[in-house]
Amino acid sequence: MPTWKHPDFIFSYDEQGSGLPILFIHGYPLNRKMWAPQLADLSENYRLIAPDLRGHGESTPSAGPYSMEMFADDCASLLEHLRINQPAIVCGLSMGGYISLAFARKYPHMLRGLILTATRAAEDSPDARSNRQRSMDLIESGKHYEIFETMLPRLLSPLTQQNNPALVSQIREIMETTNPSTMISDLKGMMSRPDSRPFLPDIRVPTLIIHGKDDPLIPYTEAQEMASALPNCQLVILENTAHLPNLEASQAFNRHVRIFLSQFS
Ligand code: MLT
């Protein structure tokens, strides 16, 4: 797996294929491995880049907090390091979606299209901020595993949990590699992110939103609201799917992504 020595940390990433570049940005508390079904399926036609954000997976940490804008800066500098000389498609899930929106705001010249999945444009509500504070208290008292136990059943739909225990174990393994101090840096960054809703009408690039109908963490109505505010957006809601559509319904997810990408060829 390639690495690059960013001024603040060692950046690890997967890179496969050639053609139109697609940058995949993972969610919290996950890493680049969550994009395995997309890397396996799309690399014949596209140049796929899936980084481990700083502190996640095999990228080393730096001092926190990790703002969404800082992660977007990291992604832009990785694309520059890879000498990607054309605007990219940016695909982000959940926290990766918050980062994608920060990227769209700061680097519009590097953006050809946007894929937003299981994410929202709104900032944290007061309740969400209190929940994040509770999570940080748990982590600081050495109980970060309790967060995984609470999160796991909410990441995957009841049907996926019943039919695909291997996926449940795989997500658990990915989460367990995430360092507690990275979790705190992410939580602080997410709870202070700005509201992206006022900026949505300025995003002119083609956008695809894919959202799970059963997502208990971010209700699909938020995806509908985001889609109606984006000038050039298609919305797909997947049944029996919760917070990880690219894993739970990988074939349908990839099919919709391929259809979306066909307009760029
Ligand atoms: C994620 O999946 O990245 C998180 O659930 C996002 C969040 O906590 O807001």
Side-chain angles (χ1 to χ4, degrees), residues 25-30 34 93-98 117-120 122 124 128 132 151 155 186-187 190-191 193 215 217-218 243-244:
I25 311 179
H26 63 75
Y28 158 91
L30 303 169
M34 60 155 282
L93 179 136
S94 200
M95 180 179 80
Y98 311 154
T117 185
T119 195
R120 57 159 58 100
D124 272 4
R132 296 215 197 269
M151 259 191 111
L155 292 176
D186 289 348
L187 289 164
M190 286 192 283
M191 73 194 283
R193 74 185 190 282
D215 188 343
L217 295 173
I218 302 182
H243 194 60
L244 299 175

Side-chain angles (χ1 to χ4, degrees), residues 6-11 52-64 66 70-71 74 179-183 185:
H6 179 282
D8 298 339
F9 66 104
I10 310 281
F11 215 153
D52 277 336
L53 296 169
R54 60 171 83 193
H56 299 75
E58 288 164 78
S59 289
T60 59
S62 68
Y66 298 159
M70 175 199 264
F71 280 142
D74 291 347
N179 196 294
S181 63
T182 289
M183 292 169 71
S185 296

Side-chain angles (χ1 to χ4, degrees), residues 6-103:
H6 179 282
D8 298 339
F9 66 104
I10 310 281
F11 215 153
S12 300
Y13 56 94
D14 281 327
E15 188 186 11
Q16 285 177 30
S18 59
L20 178 64
I22 311 179
L23 175 74
F24 289 94
I25 311 179
H26 63 75
Y28 158 91
L30 303 169
N31 62 46
R32 71 181 201 292
K33 290 191 179 153
M34 60 155 282
W35 297 113
Q38 284 65 52
L39 266 60
D41 191 39
L42 298 167
S43 67
E44 262 178 39
N45 307 92
Y46 301 100
R47 181 171 178 185
L48 311 177
I49 302 125
D52 277 336
L53 296 169
R54 60 171 83 193
H56 299 75
E58 288 164 78
S59 289
T60 59
S62 68
Y66 298 159
S67 71
M68 301 302 103
E69 196 182 13
M70 175 199 264
F71 280 142
D73 292 343
D74 291 347
C75 290
S77 55
L78 179 63
L79 295 181
E80 277 165 9
H81 163 73
L82 294 173
R83 298 184 199 286
I84 297 212
N85 55 10
Q86 57 172 308
I89 306 293
V90 174
C91 171
L93 179 136
S94 200
M95 180 179 80
Y98 311 154
I99 299 166
S100 303
L101 289 169
F103 186 99

Side-chain angles (χ1 to χ4, degrees), residues 87-88 102-113 199 202-203 205:
F103 186 99
R105 191 160 45 235
K106 200 160 173 192
Y107 301 100
H109 58 289
M110 296 176 78
L111 189 67
R112 183 93 189 272
F199 160 71
D202 297 336
I203 300 181
V205 293

Side-chain angles (χ1 to χ4, degrees), residues 98-174:
Y98 311 154
I99 299 166
S100 303
L101 289 169
F103 186 99
R105 191 160 45 235
K106 200 160 173 192
Y107 301 100
H109 58 289
M110 296 176 78
L111 189 67
R112 183 93 189 272
L114 206 47
I115 303 172
L116 299 171
T117 185
T119 195
R120 57 159 58 100
E123 64 194 333
D124 272 4
S125 65
D127 273 0
R129 288 202 183 108
S130 312
N131 286 337
R132 296 215 197 269
Q133 188 54 57
R134 266 195 295 280
S135 295
M136 289 193 281
D137 294 344
L138 266 181
I139 296 166
E140 263 153 13
S141 62
K143 295 184 183 156
H144 65 286
Y145 281 93
E146 286 187 19
I147 295 176
F148 304 151
E149 294 317 317
T150 320
M151 259 191 111
L152 247 182
R154 310 188 77 207
L155 292 176
L156 301 166
S157 74
L159 198 71
T160 308
Q161 290 176 60
Q162 194 185 320
N163 293 348
N164 198 347
L167 181 59
V168 180
S169 313
Q170 188 194 337
I171 307 299
R172 182 188 293 278
E173 273 169 36
I174 292 179

